[in-house]
Structures are given as structure tokens and as C-alpha cells.
Amino acid sequence: MAKELYNLGEMPPLGEVPEKMHAWLIRPERFGKPTEAFQQEVVGVPAIADDEVLVYVMAAGINYNNVWAGLGIPVNVIAARNKAGEKEDFHIGGSDASGIVYKIGKDVTHVKVGDEVVVHCGTWDRNCAWVKGGGDPMYSPSFRIWGYETNWGSFAQFTKVQGQQCMPKPKHMNWEEAASYVLVGATAWRMLHGWGANAVKKGDVALIWGGAGGLGSMAIQIVKAAGATPIAMVSGEDKFDYCLKLGAKGCINRNRFDHWGMLPHWKDNVGYAKWLKGVRGFGAAIWEALGEKRSPNIVFEHPGETTIPTSIFVCDTGGMVVVCAGTTGYNATVDLRYLWMRQKRLQGSHFANAEQSYQMNELALRGLLDPCLSRAFTYAELPVAHQLMHDNKHPHGNMAVLVGATAFGQGASGKPPVATAHPTLPKGDVHTTPAPYPLSAPLPGIAEAEAIQISDDGTKVKDLMHRGIIACAPGDTVGQVAKIMVDNEIHAVVVMEGGRAVGVVSQTDMVLARQGRTSEEARSMLAKDIMTPGCATCDAQMLLSDAVSLMTGRRMHRLVVTENEQPAGVISMTDVVRKIIGE
Ligand code: NAP
């Protein structure tokens, strides 16, 4: 008679599914740091639907997503599922796995009990009209990341997956290696192969950010396999050897440059010229690493805010910057001139569909994709592995944890089809940038708009504004405007024409006018040439919170306040700060 529960590492007879299983559970009452959020428990093995498969997990991959699931932010994944009708009051994470098929639903045809598989993390409703109509499931409203947005991930003896998620395990890999590469590998594959005319092809040059990281290490190998040339960016020369062994033609140490971050204002002649100098130097470093003067056809992006301006600048005419994350921030700035004049493409990309996951896995089966496993952990160390990630002390590359496997290195049953370099990362190499948010968090769309709650105390602009306007005319010189500012000890002068405010000259506008010009040249410019045009106004009846959004959105510190469309005063950020401290 079947046992109700097997000990960890005690494999049930093939195809025999016990009633219960060991699992690492997250529960809402212990949301917090990973070492507290994850607890070992025994739960019932889930039932499967006709298109689903029960996999006995040998090893599981570790991704940042389940650090967020444990923290309960930015989404309480358990509450979200309960709201959608699922009853479980816990979350079993894990979005990468290697294991053995133990049970299949009646509609599953391409795997059978006993098959050794790896699992990709894309799930969707096969009855979704879009999917049924042949649409890319990645665009389906039913798309969910298994083991983060869905329950029953790989941090348990058994995981419930859709049949289409199962792919053959490369025989030459051990369980932990096989559990570590699919999420990053498939994401990189779609980024590089999924975008029509811009897909990587023989002879292309691809610039890869974070070449020693999870995605970047996959990207180098995928680009190489396509007959194109990868150039890798890393944060230190000690990682060059690793990337070169994976197939990069050359590497660049990003710490040699300092032009990162948001673009300087386009009116800032000096700042922009300095940025241009930095980014051109970086471009020259690409040519040097490449050994010829060619711009990359593809830039493989995920750092986001700090690197996008550079990526768009160095990308070749007609090329593509493809981005799947914003690890350093989301407000990426773009100099649109380079985008339209040189007809470049800025393409968003997210995980991969089944076809793309299979194509990527084909490369792994052929021995052309090293899993780049940097560290494996025991089952008991699962929370510690997540805690390292939480504290940004984890190594680069991909990590995995044993589940059913009883020791490291088990599970390889064949030789690699081709000799692989199998490089290792420099010792002690850890991250410098923590992941800001999960790779898949629900974004508000049109449908959710009504549900958004906004708290506002009702304060209006008229309650805080300073009455009275000090103004100049559009034809006044910058020298005259400067005098008005100094004489009145104010930071901005309203530009009036025919009784209407047509703009504001702020101190920033004045300083930008001086940038890259002689004092004489700057003084003789006119207010209308340097002012921020009239949209920098708000009505006295406007909510203060809306005025703040207007100011922060436009990177301004003050607005002209109008009453009956006539300028009546000024509201500034200083006024808002005064309100905060209750002055
Ligand atoms: P990873 O292993 O941590 O690697 C990221 C790499 O980025 C690091 O190796 C680091 O390399 C580099 N980096 C860090 N800060 C940087 C900066 N300021 N400028 C330039 N490079 C910087 O992470 P990963 O697994 O590759 O994932 C990267 C991002 O993609 C994460 O945000 C992840 O959540 C996201 N992701 C998205 C999807 C999706 O489907 N949308 C899938 C997987 C991952 P150096 O320090 O050596 O430069």
C-alpha cells in the first residue's frame, strides 16, 4: 500500500503519488525576510487537470521573484489568487525545476511517466480565445509565471505544471544544473530571436549588459550559437575570462566610464557635451573590443535607467535595443533624435512562449548552452539562498537548490554532446545592484483603473499659494530677467504677454542659458528663447496633489497660479514642504 508521505530524498516508486508532501511554504502571517517567510510544512499533493502534469522535483532554480513573494510586496500573491477564486492560504514558490514526470492528465501527449524533464515557467489558459486563435500566449490575459503568480511551484517534493511546460532534461547536466538555466535562457532567447527583422542573425554584433549575470551569460551563448558576435559588459576585469570562455569576442569594464544615468537636459550644452564625450568613449571601447568599427545591431538590455541612453546611442542604425527589466530604475530617458533619425527600435520583451523555450532548450540539449550554475544549496538552505539574494550578497550567475536529489552532482546520465568550457566566476564576486521589483508584477491597465484608490486631504493650490506675480516681457533680455530675480530675491519670473502668462523663466532656465555660452551671449538672449512655455501654470482651484504631480512630472519647482485665467500667484515645492512640517 502507498505511503501517505515520503521523507525528503526517499523517492516514491515511479508513478506512485503519495497523499502528502514536504514543501517550503510562504504564508501571509509571516511575510517578511526570507529566513522567516519560508517554513517547512507538510501539505496535500495537488490534484492535476487534464492538461497538467505532476513532476517529482529533483532540484529547483532560485530567482528573485520568491524573495518578493515572501515579503508580500509589491503584490500579496496569496491574496491575489484567493481573490481570483483559488482557496489555498499559502504560496509554494519556485519557477525553475528539474525532475521526473510522475503523473499526467489525459490530454497530455508529449511526456510520459518516468520522463526526466526541465520546466519552463510560462503558463496560460489553453481555452483563452487569443491562444486558441493562434496568438502568442505571452500576450494572453491568462499568462502567469508558474511558481510566482501561480501556486504549486518547485519548492516542494511535487510540482503541478501544464504539460506544455515540460521539456526534455539535457542528459549531460546534473539535477541542479538542469534546474538553473531555463527561466533566464528562455527569456534571453525571446529577446534575441523573438523580434522579427531585428532577431539576431549570422554576422550581427550584439552588446550584452551584465555578461556574467544570469541573463547575460545565456545571451552570450545564444548570440554565439547564431553565428553572431557577442560583446559583454561587466563591472570588473576579473570577469572577462568568464565571458570570453562563454563565447564573447571582447569585454568592457563599465566602471571605466561615468556617463551613466538619466540623460542631461537637451538644453544643457555643457552637460550634454560631457555625456556625448562619455558615450562616444564607450562606443570606441566597443570598436576596440570588437576589433572593427561597427555598431551593435542588437543591444541586450536589463539594467534600464542607468544604461538605456547609452544603449540607444551606440545601437546601429535600424538596430534594436531589447529590454526585459529595469534593475536600476524604470524612468529610462531617450534622446528621440537618435531613435527616429536612425530608425532604431526600443523593444520590450518578457519571458518566452513554449516554442521559444523549446528552441532555447534545444541548444542546451546539444551541449551548446552551459547552465552557468554559480552556487547550489541543500533543501534546508532554501531560505538562506533567498536571504542572500534579499541582502544582495548572492553570487552572479544562476543558483539552484536540491529537493529530491540527495547530494550535489547527481542525475547526469550522459556525456556533453560537445566539449563545453564550463567556466567559473571569480571567487567572492557578488552583486552591486539589487533587483528593484519582481520580473512579473501586475501593471494597472484600463480594466483596473476604477479600482485604484487615491487618498487626498483635499488641500487646494489656493490654500498654499503666494499671491502676486513678478513678471517680465517675452522680449526682455536674460540680463534684465536676472536683475528682476536678484532685486526681488525670487527664483522664477513669469513671462507675460497681452495680460496672459505665456511662460516662466526659472533659475534652471537661466543657468542652462549660460551653459556653453559666454556671459555676454547668455545675457543678450531673450526671455522667450529660454522660458519654459506657458503650460507651467495651474488653476488656484487645482488639488495640491495634482499640482505636485505636474511639478515632479515636468521636473519643475514652481507653477504660476491662475484665477479666471489671469495670473494670480505662484506655488512652489517649498510651499509643499512647509505644509509637510506644519508651518
Ligand atoms: P543578475 O544575475 O543579477 O545579473 C544582472 C547583471 O546586471 C549583473 O551581473 C551586473 O553585472 C549587471 N548590472 C548590475 N548593475 C548594473 C548597472 N548599474 N549597469 C550595468 N549593469 C549592471 O540578474 P539576471 O538574472 O541576469 O536578471 C537581470 C534582470 O532581469 C533582473 O532585474 C531580473 O529580475 C530581470 N529578469 C527579467 C525577466 C523577464 O522575463 N522579464 C526574466 C529574467 C530576469 P556587472 O556588475 O558585472 O556589470
Side-chain angles (χ1 to χ4, degrees), residues 11 38 54 90 132 143 147 168 176 210 214 220 240 262 268 305 313 428 439 467 476 488 513 525 527 540 547 561 563:
M11 193 186 285
F38 285 100
L54 205 57
F90 58 81
K132 270 181 137 170
F143 177 82
E176 57 271 28
I220 292 175
F240 281 14
M262 285 191 180
D268 175 0
E305 193 166 293
F313 181 86
L439 78 88
R467 292 198 169 266
D476 286 347
N488 292 283
M525 290 177 84
V561 184
E563 273 173 341

Side-chain angles (χ1 to χ4, degrees), residues 250-460:
C251 300
I252 301 170
N253 178 359
R254 65 179 166 91
N255 285 335
R256 276 174 49 206
F257 302 87
D258 61 4
H259 63 285
W260 310 118
M262 285 191 180
L263 279 170
H265 198 289
W266 53 271
K267 288 184 187 170
D268 175 0
N269 297 331
V270 171
Y272 203 92
K274 281 189 178 155
W275 180 81
L276 212 51
K277 214 170 158 190
V279 78
R280 278 193 185 146
F282 182 72
I286 298 174
W287 290 346
E288 194 188 325
L290 193 58
E292 56 179 319
K293 287 190 175 181
R294 281 184 62 195
S295 302
N297 309 86
I298 297 191
V299 182
F300 185 88
E301 251 290 345
H302 47 89
E305 193 166 293
T306 64
T307 51
I308 284 272
T310 299
S311 295
I312 289 178
F313 181 86
V314 298
C315 178
D316 198 14
T317 300
M320 171 177 72
V321 176
V322 57
V323 57
C324 75
T327 315
T328 62
Y330 308 126
N331 280 359
T333 44
V334 177
D335 185 332
L336 289 171
R337 291 169 294 186
Y338 288 94
L339 210 64
W340 91 68
M341 291 293 289
R342 305 211 169 135
Q343 301 177 70
K344 305 180 186 189
R345 176 174 180 175
L346 176 57
Q347 176 66 53
S349 192
H350 184 46
F351 190 58
N353 58 36
E355 194 186 346
Q356 291 160 337
S357 300
Y358 268 72
Q359 286 166 345
M360 177 281 302
N361 200 47
E362 195 54 39
L363 214 59
L365 293 168
R366 285 165 52 207
L368 298 176
L369 195 77
D370 189 279
C372 294
L373 177 74
S374 56
R375 186 163 168 194
F377 298 82
T378 63
Y379 185 75
E381 290 172 325
L382 185 142
V384 176
H386 284 89
Q387 190 67 43
L388 284 175
M389 269 193 158
H390 174 273
D391 301 341
N392 215 33
K393 290 184 175 150
H394 58 302
H396 281 89
N398 302 316
M399 305 198 294
V401 57
L402 302 184
V403 182
T406 51
F408 298 119
Q410 296 174 341
S413 59
K415 290 222 170 323
V418 291
T420 45
H422 224 45
T424 48
L425 284 159
K427 269 206 160 38
D429 181 47
V430 291
H431 288 249
T432 50
T433 311
Y437 270 118
L439 78 88
S440 189
L443 298 173
I446 296 167
E448 286 91 344
E450 277 174 11
I452 294 172
Q453 299 288 327
I454 298 169
S455 331
D456 192 285
D457 68 1
T459 306
K460 295 205 167 153

Side-chain angles (χ1 to χ4, degrees), residues 460-519:
K460 295 205 167 153
V461 166
K462 68 179 170 58
D463 302 332
L464 287 186
M465 66 187 266
H466 285 268
R467 292 198 169 266
I469 295 275
I470 297 169
C472 69
D476 286 347
T477 64
V478 167
Q480 288 168 316
V481 180
K483 186 155 181 350
I484 296 173
M485 267 185 194
V486 173
D487 289 350
N488 292 283
E489 294 183 10
I490 52 170
H491 304 297
V493 177
V494 180
V495 186
M496 300 282 289
E497 188 173 37
R500 297 177 69 87
V502 292
V504 175
V505 176
S506 67
Q507 282 184 328
T508 310
D509 294 322
M510 302 285 278
V511 171
L512 287 178
R514 176 70 173 84
Q515 285 284 79
R517 297 188 180 90
T518 65
S519 181

